[in-house]
Amino acid sequence: MRTRVVIIGAGPSGLLLSHLLGLAGIESVLLERQAAEHVQARVRAGILESSTVQLLRQVGLGERLDREGIEHRGIYLQWPQERHHLDFVELTGRSVWVYGQAEVTKDLMAARAEAGQVAYYEVSDVELHDVDSDRPAVNFVDSTGRPQRIDAQIVVGCDGYRGPSKQAIPGRERQTYERTYPFAWLGVLAEVEPSTDELIYAWHPDGFALHSMRSRSVSRFYLQVSPAEDISQWSDDRIWDGLATRFALDGWTLKTGAIAEKSVLPMRSFVTTPMRYGRLFLAGDAAHIVPPTGAKGLNLAVADVDLLSRAIIAWLHEGNTGPAATYSETALNRVWRSTHFSWWMTTMLHRHGDDFDAELQLSQLRRIVQSPSAATELAENYAGLPLERVTRRAQSTEYATGVGPAYAGYLDLDKVSARAEFRDDPDLTESSVDDGWEPLLRGWIEEAACAGIVEATAMLVSTVECTDNGPRPTSRTVLCSGLSSGGVVFFTDRGSSKGHQLTDVPYASVTFVWPALGRQVHLRGPVRQVPAEVTAVHWHSRPRGVQLGAWASQQSRPIASRVELDRVSAEIAERFADVERIPVPARWVGYQVQAEQVEFWQRRRGRSHNRIRVDLDVSGNNAAIRITRLQP
């Protein structure tokens, strides 16, 4: 058997990587030692960072999350007789979502089944061979007992702490860092409505306690216990008494109910390096484990996979191995940041040591709730750092939608997730576009978002209207939904004014303007419709309310009154009330304005502005024909 990528491990990281590669038209095969039902039933992490949610939406996996997930603005910190709320949205502009790992896994499995990609469950005797060569292979025994071999271009280990993948890296090349904590969690899943609107992290002399949730009717609790704790000694009554004691607060009551599950969870930090050896890459728990206190485990795996998928796409579609070469270093920067945050949260909240240590912990907790800067540091780490990009050159390769590399990058700017730090602007020069015009434009958009500019992806689209009195220019502002070396993409109603105008004259110009940053970008070129598959992925990543609005509005057509529009909107909402997946309207299309000419403008004192123009060959491979500096 031959494939392009073998992924060992069909947990969330393996499934998501397979999905992202599939969107780019890259075939993969999944291997998993457990049964599919077992994988889907695992009860694990339940908090998704802002960047994780944005990524899932972006790649068509956000529909059920938006419908069933619970958005949280922050958390509560508690110690005896004090409970304080940290509002992440006020502090950082980012929230988190309660949506269990099992639900993410279900969504990923459904997407893989719909894509018809190959997966082997209940495999055994997995062995990796020749991963340091250009012909790696994986041997295994399938669920029927039949030996199998898969030859591939790349092997990815998403097989967890005990999987064989990291063992394929020679010991002389591999270094392991590990910290085992002197306490564990007694985890409890209870069929009871949560007693809080957001998670409670409680420090108590008896030990740490956490009140989490899985849904609006199922609560998740944790109690600090000894790693050697005998779970049979914890009756339901003892568990509820322990929780009530540690969460005790005047005027607040803990709701109790039937306990469905309970288990003891050891606490450890673990990192193995490097995360790449030859053509073997590690992601998720195969490379690192963090204590669950900081809600980093699943989110860290998603960040790995997002970074790795882009590196693999660049390698297999462009022959660009640069992103793969920097994958381990870039990923480990985030891994160690998240490992530190998880260690810090864990050691601050769990009783260990003597009373001197306890007073230090309480001092740190008070500092967080009294200091905006300390609270912001916690909020930024908890709500999640922006997803990294491997290198600027690698940014030109983005997710496509099963139609191959020619359509890479159509959907990746639907929501800007990166918030790069904005610094004093270096001079714009001809060398600024050495890596191409698209990485520079992407960087400017990300810096605009970082600077707090609302709708940083907004662009002015100008088209030509053919009238009886001759051609007339017309402009309107839309959101850029995709960016690649081929051009920029937006979606609209084909029956709208701009849709008709683009049918008559398939040529347009777009302008991005960020006055606060003193920057503009002008792009012009021929216009073409994007493939229907791309439009479908974009459509199904949109919130349900936006989809209903698009069905209700016949864009640009006259309407009698607002009352009439509201009536039609209500009818559409009723029409699709029982429809889980709202179909794409036939009139909904995407357009790509191909980059024929791109000009970057940068404000300078005395109106001596910088202007750099890039002329491109749209009939070929979008290569730059010439780069020209223009007078201001």
Side-chain angles (χ1 to χ4, degrees):
M1 187 188 319
R2 179 172 290 278
T3 190
R4 304 196 77 184
V5 181
V6 176
I7 302 171
I8 304 172
S13 55
L15 285 165
L16 180 58
L17 178 61
S18 171
H19 181 75
L20 298 181
L21 295 179
L23 290 179
I26 295 177
E27 177 190 43
S28 64
V29 173
L30 270 172
L31 304 179
E32 169 59 48
R33 67 184 182 88
Q34 300 286 0
E37 296 76 15
H38 177 87
V39 174
Q40 188 168 293
R42 289 170 179 158
V43 178
R44 293 289 190 273
I47 299 296
L48 302 184
E49 296 176 358
S50 176
S51 295
T52 298
V53 171
Q54 289 177 356
L55 176 63
L56 293 175
R57 287 171 175 160
Q58 177 184 327
V59 298
L61 297 169
E63 184 175 350
R64 199 163 68 92
L65 187 159
D66 285 329
R67 187 174 65 252
E68 300 178 13
I70 307 171
E71 186 175 16
H72 281 188
R73 291 181 60 94
I75 61 172
Y76 293 98
L77 291 179
Q78 177 175 329
W79 55 93
Q81 295 307 314
E82 290 193 43
R83 182 179 295 171
H84 302 268
H85 185 246
L86 296 185
D87 193 316
F88 296 164
V89 176
E90 286 187 2
L91 292 165
T92 70
R94 299 196 294 272
S95 62
V96 296
W97 285 69
V98 174
Y99 192 66
Q101 177 174 313
E103 305 310 313
V104 175
T105 302
K106 290 176 187 175
D107 296 340
L108 287 164
M109 283 184 165
R112 185 170 181 83
E114 185 175 344
Q117 296 196 12
V118 179
Y120 289 87
Y121 288 90
E122 299 181 82
V123 305
S124 58
D125 300 331
V126 177
E127 297 178 352
L128 290 73
H129 299 281
D130 303 321
V131 294
D132 58 345
S133 75
D134 60 358
R135 295 184 178 181
V138 178
N139 290 352
F140 66 98
V141 176
D142 66 23
S143 60
T144 68
R146 180 184 174 189
Q148 300 270 13
R149 176 186 173 93
I150 304 179
D151 294 292
Q153 293 174 279
I154 291 173
V155 178
V156 181
C158 300
D159 48 347
Y161 180 75
R162 295 181 176 83
S165 294
K166 68 173 178 285
Q167 304 303 326
I169 302 176
R172 66 181 182 279
E173 303 286 346
R174 188 176 76 247
Q175 186 162 0
T176 298
Y177 305 86
E178 194 161 8
R179 170 74 47 92
T180 301
Y181 296 89
F183 37 75
W185 277 5
L186 172 61
V188 175
L189 193 69
E191 296 172 351
V192 60
E193 177 186 358
S195 305
T196 178
D197 58 334
E198 296 183 340
L199 275 64
I200 304 172
Y201 285 76
W203 183 99
H204 192 273
D206 291 350
F208 170 73
L210 172 62
H211 186 333
S212 183
M213 60 198 70
R214 286 296 175 266
S215 69
R216 293 176 176 84
S217 59
V218 177
S219 296
R220 185 78 163 152
F221 299 97
Y222 299 96
L223 284 163
Q224 178 184 343
V225 296
S226 165
E229 197 73 33
D230 182 358
I231 198 169
S232 66
Q233 299 301 309
W234 284 85
S235 65
D236 289 4
D237 287 343
R238 183 184 177 190
I239 289 172
W240 289 120
D241 288 345
L243 290 168
T245 297
R246 300 186 195 189
F247 289 125
L249 188 71
D250 291 344
W252 182 85
T253 302
L254 176 68
K255 299 173 185 176
T256 62
I259 292 179
E261 295 180 16
K262 52 186 172 182
S263 59
V264 174
L265 312 173
M267 305 278 277
R268 76 161 74 92
S269 296
F270 162 84
V271 179
T272 188
T273 65
M275 292 175 63
R276 180 211 175 177
Y277 177 73
R279 294 196 175 220
L280 168 65
F281 296 83
L282 303 180
D285 288 359
H288 44 74
I289 294 174
V290 292
T293 325
K296 295 294 106 182
L298 174 58
N299 295 290
L300 198 51
V302 168
D304 287 350
V305 166
D306 175 60
L307 190 70
L308 178 56
S309 66
R310 298 171 189 273
I312 292 174
I313 292 167
W315 189 345
L316 298 187
H317 276 338
E318 297 181 350
N320 178 9
T321 59
T326 61
Y327 164 71
S328 181
E329 179 183 359
T330 305
L332 283 167
N333 285 336
R334 188 187 191 95
V335 167
W336 280 114
R337 172 88 298 276
S338 296
T339 298
H340 176 268
F341 175 68
S342 300
W343 165 85
W344 178 74
M345 286 281 286
T346 301
T347 54
M348 176 176 64
L349 289 162
H350 292 72
R351 276 304 309 264
H352 59 94
D354 55 20
D355 290 342
F356 183 87
D357 294 304
E359 290 301 324
L360 293 178
Q361 291 173 319
L362 290 170
S363 175
Q364 180 64 66
L365 288 166
R366 294 187 188 101
R367 166 71 177 167
I368 291 169
V369 301
Q370 293 168 1
S371 166
S373 60
T376 300
E377 175 69 11
L378 187 154
E380 285 181 342
N381 282 275
Y382 195 107
L385 305 172
L387 294 177
E388 290 95 344
R389 298 294 179 257
V390 270
T391 64
R392 278 205 141 201
R393 184 177 299 278
Q395 289 173 347
S396 63
T397 299
E398 301 297 337
Y399 302 128
T401 55
V403 290
Y407 301 110
Y410 274 128
L411 306 179
D412 60 295
L413 280 184
D414 231 15
K415 291 195 174 183
V416 173
S417 60
R419 290 165 58 98
E421 183 181 357
F422 182 73
R423 300 176 175 86
D424 291 339
D425 217 5
D427 254 331
L428 175 68
T429 69
E430 290 85 341
S431 64
S432 301
V433 290
D434 280 350
D435 288 340
W437 66 270
E438 179 263 342
L440 180 58
L441 173 54
R442 182 184 302 279
W444 279 18
I445 291 173
E446 292 174 348
E447 289 172 2
C450 165
I453 293 175
V454 178
E455 306 290 16
T457 61
M459 61 185 186
L460 189 72
V461 176
S462 299
T463 53
V464 176
E465 180 181 10
C466 297
T467 72
D468 293 339
N469 296 317
R472 296 289 187 270
T474 178
S475 303
R476 78 288 294 158
T477 302
V478 302
L479 294 181
C480 176
S481 293
L483 172 61
S484 72
S485 59
V488 298
V489 174
F490 65 92
F491 293 86
T492 189
D493 187 326
R494 78 165 81 236
S496 65
S497 296
K498 56 184 171 292
H500 286 300
Q501 291 156 14
L502 289 172
T503 298
D504 294 338
V505 182
Y507 201 91
S509 70
V510 303
T511 301
F512 296 86
V513 184
W514 306 286
L517 304 185
R519 294 172 173 178
Q520 300 180 52
V521 178
H522 313 284
L523 180 152
R524 73 182 189 192
V527 177
R528 63 182 176 186
Q529 283 192 26
V530 305
E533 303 97 314
V534 176
T535 299
V537 171
H538 169 267
W539 172 265
H540 291 300
S541 72
R542 302 294 76 214
R544 185 178 181 87
V546 174
Q547 294 175 345
L548 292 172
W551 267 99
S553 173
Q554 304 287 317
Q555 196 175 119
S556 300
R557 281 76 153 185
I559 193 166
S561 66
R562 178 74 207 191
V563 172
E564 176 65 10
L565 179 60
D566 291 342
R567 182 190 64 78
V568 175
S569 298
E571 289 178 355
I572 291 295
E574 183 178 357
R575 172 182 171 185
F576 291 110
D578 297 325
V579 177
E580 181 175 345
R581 189 176 175 85
I582 299 175
V584 183
R587 63 180 188 275
W588 192 255
V589 296
Y591 293 100
Q592 182 187 51
V593 183
Q594 298 172 263
E596 181 180 79
Q597 186 179 90
V598 185
E599 179 187 334
F600 292 88
W601 181 98
Q602 181 189 50
R603 182 178 59 217
R604 278 296 175 256
R605 290 186 179 89
R607 298 190 180 274
S608 184
H609 310 310
N610 287 317
R611 296 175 63 190
I612 301 295
R613 187 179 70 200
V614 182
D615 292 282
L616 300 115
D617 178 12
V618 296
S619 63
N621 60 357
N622 303 115
I625 299 174
R626 59 183 169 272
I627 299 171
T628 308
R629 173 176 285 275
L630 304 177
Q631 296 188 46

